[in-house]
Amino acid sequence: GAGVSQTPSNKVTEKGKYVELRCDPISGHTALYWYRQSLGQGPEFLIYFQGTGAADDSGLPNDRFFAVRPEGSVSTLKIQRTERGDSAVYLCASSPSEGDYGYTFGSGTRLTVV
Amino acid sequence: AQSVTQPDIHITVSEGASLELRCNYSYGATPYLFWYVQSPGQGLQLLLKYFSGDTLVQGIKGFEAEFKRSQSSFNLRKPSVHWSDAAEYFCAVGAGNTGTASKLTFGTGTRLQVTL
């Protein structure tokens, strides 16, 4: 597509529930990134995919967070047993290739855990 | 590990006035430096970037930034601010050409308010 698409744009869930956040990158972009932006903060790196594999998941806060990109295009960020502290805007970005800083960011998914 | 400091949380300027947003970084080697702008409900948009070469870089929307290695700074400037420039501005640093993940470390942002 023309840009990076993230769905849903807003998600409200109850504490303890499971959520999935979807990212559709720009067609042909092989690198895909997830960032999390808490209120009043800058985005923080979560995980990076080159193709189908997670090349760097050092930013995932704990094992409740998991992300996949099975066909090297769409990616899903999965959060188990959500906690109120998970409330944030989750941003996805894609770039043409590994090492290319020409990111395009999506508009994000605002997750609220109540 | 790399880090970015944006010392000003909030800045207010009058339309037509000049603007400078401060950014200091910490990184052991030559960094890749970026400025992004984020309007409410919008994704981050790249204003400009510095990889190497000329230390004064020009970006979109009339913005420029100057890399000063001796001060570990990459301040963003605009000679004359427009009301539409009101937004959140983020400075970011990348680890340079390591051949690996080009992940960014962001500062906490500076919110720019423009008065008419």
Side-chain angles (χ1 to χ4, degrees), chain B residues 21-88:
Chain B
L21 302 182
R22 295 183 291 165
C23 172
N24 293 97
Y25 69 90
S26 174
Y27 183 63
T30 300
Y32 286 5
L33 295 161
F34 307 81
W35 275 99
Y36 284 86
V37 61
Q38 186 178 42
S39 298
Q42 302 296 311
L44 290 154
Q45 182 183 23
L46 179 67
L47 288 175
L48 48 78
K49 60 188 177 186
Y50 172 79
F51 285 2
S52 65
D54 192 346
T55 57
L56 184 64
V57 293
Q58 303 296 322
I60 62 171
K61 304 185 179 186
F63 286 93
E64 66 178 29
E66 186 171 11
F67 171 59
K68 293 185 177 180
R69 184 188 299 276
S70 62
Q71 298 177 21
S72 297
S73 69
F74 189 59
N75 294 351
L76 181 71
R77 301 194 294 247
K78 187 169 185 178
S80 177
V81 169
H82 188 263
W83 64 266
S84 61
D85 292 325
E88 187 94 20

Side-chain angles (χ1 to χ4, degrees), chain A residues 46-70:
Chain A
L46 293 178
I47 186 170
Y48 153 70
F49 288 89
Q50 174 58 31
T52 60
D56 184 344
D57 64 358
S58 61
L60 294 178
N62 52 59
D63 61 6
R64 296 187 297 105
F65 288 74
F66 188 70
V68 295
R69 194 185 186 198

Side-chain angles (χ1 to χ4, degrees), chain A residues 84-108:
Chain A
R84 294 197 177 87
D86 298 335
S87 296
V89 176
Y90 289 81
L91 296 168
C92 178
S94 68
S95 70
S97 63
E98 185 174 48
D100 187 329
Y101 283 93
Y103 282 27
T104 299
F105 278 91
S107 298

